[in-house]
Amino acid sequence: MENNKFEVIVIGGGPAGMSAALVLGRSRIRTLVLNTENPRNNVTKHSHGFLTQDGKHPTDIFKEAKKQLNKYSSVEYRNEKAIDLIKIEDGFQVKTEFNAYKTKRVVVATGHRDNIESIGIDGLVEVYGKSVYPCPFCDGFEMADKKLAVIGDAVKAPMFSKVISHWSNDVIVFTNGDKVVDIELIKSLKSKNIEIIEDKIIKLHSLKGKLISIELDGGESVEREGGFLPDTKSQESTNFAHKMRIPSEEGRFGMSFYVIDENKETEVPGFYIVGDAQTGWSGVAVSVAEGSKVGSAITHQIIMEKWKN
Ligand SMILES: Cc1cc2nc3c(=O)[nH]c(=O)nc-3n(C[C@H](O)[C@H](O)[C@H](O)COP(=O)(O)OP(=O)(O)OC[C@H]3O[C@@H](n4cnc5c(N)ncnc54)[C@H](O)[C@@H]3O)c2cc1C
């Protein structure tokens, strides 16, 4: 069992987890990274907005991270899925399908999963991450000045279209059968030439992931080249924070976030959450920063503990 004991276990090896492991490795902290290698942005071909990596394929960024981590012998990387996390005396036990590991500190960096199928629009999965995206800061530049759709409910879609109109002056809101009741909002969108279409969507037509048109219930097809979703029905990839009863609060856009301190530590000592797992949406650069922050904070705590003993 000694071989299965680590100073830190990082669950999840996306930008947040790998960045935490890098700092821990450089600090010679015995660290285990468990990763199923399926980051949230795997559906897209280009990751944007992270300085020095702008436009790179998410898989290439991950491969480079794994290669760089390999240099640090105190970090063990395993392609294993954490299936359970149990609080034990003086730390945690992390179970995978084949192994059980012990640690005093655990970093949850397992991210969120989008659930596009559950939106229930035929053809949406095919375009998600290819011409229809969740985040204008990530992909708005590439979609600029195109014929854009904002697809969502009667509250979130009109609100989101205000943001999207910064990138294109040809934006149509599709509420898929939902009725917009906020008269002021309707007026406000009309004043900026943003049309609202409330018809049910029959199908999104596309070619190789590129949106071509949106077919409506009435038989009409509206030409569109791309679009954005205000709500991807995302859920946490793991229930570990919930299991540890970590309190959460309501954040921006109705997303909740877990309460952490400035070291990314929760009210359960030794239990940390970073990246999308903590916020619901951090983006790559912020996830890397949060991973870096937790890596150095944990190292500092370990050094001070050793100093006292
Ligand atoms: C279509 C799309 C496009 C995007 N484009 C951009 C962009 O251009 N720029 C940008 O900044 N952001 C973009 N994002 C957001 C970005 O993908 C996330 O914010 C970022 O990946 C969060 O990093 P993370 O490390 O927290 O989580 P993730 O990257 O999701 O990594 C989590 C990791 O944990 C692993 N994991 C999950 N459960 C377990 C388990 N039980 N055991 C072990 N491992 C587990 C997963 O396999 C994964 O490797 C995009 C997202 C989407 C959906």
Side-chain angles (χ1 to χ4, degrees), residues 280-294:
W281 182 283
S282 289
V284 173
V286 175
S287 296
V288 167
E290 289 177 359
S292 173
K293 172 88 184 158
V294 82

Side-chain angles (χ1 to χ4, degrees), residues 12 14-16 35-38 40-41 48 82 114 128 138 276 283-284 287:
N35 190 22
T36 48
E37 302 191 357
N38 185 21
R40 186 176 193 173
N41 55 358
H48 298 112
D114 298 305
Y128 186 61
C138 305
D276 283 8
V284 173
S287 296

Side-chain angles (χ1 to χ4, degrees), residues 11-17 34-44 46-50 62 80-83 109-114 128-129 132-135 137-139 237-238 240 274-277 281-285 287:
I11 309 176
L34 297 170
N35 190 22
T36 48
E37 302 191 357
N38 185 21
R40 186 176 193 173
N41 55 358
N42 238 359
V43 289
T44 193
H46 306 279
S47 173
H48 298 112
F50 178 25
F62 169 69
E80 286 179 33
K81 180 175 183 169
I83 54 172
T110 43
H112 260 233
R113 280 293 147 271
D114 298 305
Y128 186 61
V132 174
Y133 301 94
C135 160
F137 302 100
C138 305
D139 297 288
S237 303
T238 56
F240 300 145
V274 286
D276 283 8
W281 182 283
S282 289
V284 173
S287 296

Side-chain angles (χ1 to χ4, degrees), residues 107-118:
V107 177
V108 171
T110 43
H112 260 233
R113 280 293 147 271
D114 298 305
N115 194 353
I116 303 304
E117 289 87 354
S118 74

Side-chain angles (χ1 to χ4, degrees), residues 5 40 149 157 182 226 243:
K5 214 170 164 189
R40 186 176 193 173
D182 185 337
K243 195 177 173 196

Side-chain angles (χ1 to χ4, degrees), residues 90-204:
D90 203 26
F92 304 87
Q93 186 186 47
V94 182
K95 284 185 179 170
T96 67
E97 250 176 313
F98 310 107
N99 291 299
Y101 305 99
K102 273 187 182 173
T103 184
K104 198 170 168 188
R105 291 178 171 86
V106 68
V107 177
V108 171
T110 43
H112 260 233
R113 280 293 147 271
D114 298 305
N115 194 353
I116 303 304
E117 289 87 354
S118 74
I119 298 173
I121 296 177
D122 193 10
L124 188 55
V125 170
E126 285 80 352
V127 293
Y128 186 61
K130 316 238 166 9
S131 59
V132 174
Y133 301 94
C135 160
F137 302 100
C138 305
D139 297 288
F141 186 86
E142 284 66 30
M143 290 287 111
D145 303 322
K146 292 190 189 294
K147 296 177 199 304
L148 298 181
V150 176
I151 305 167
D153 69 32
V155 177
K156 287 181 190 150
M159 295 301 286
F160 202 44
S161 72
K162 292 183 178 180
V163 179
I164 302 307
S165 71
H166 172 77
W167 279 272
S168 171
N169 56 17
D170 186 349
V171 177
I172 301 178
V173 171
F174 293 83
T175 63
N176 191 26
D178 217 4
K179 183 130 190 65
V180 185
V181 289
D182 185 337
I183 304 296
E184 287 310 310
L185 190 57
I186 295 172
K187 275 191 203 159
S188 158
L189 262 55
K190 205 171 178 188
S191 73
K192 305 280 182 191
N193 294 321
I194 299 176
E195 192 185 343
I196 301 173
I197 295 181
E198 293 171 336
D199 301 40
K200 270 237 164 246
I201 295 173
I202 297 295
K203 189 178 167 67
L204 265 53

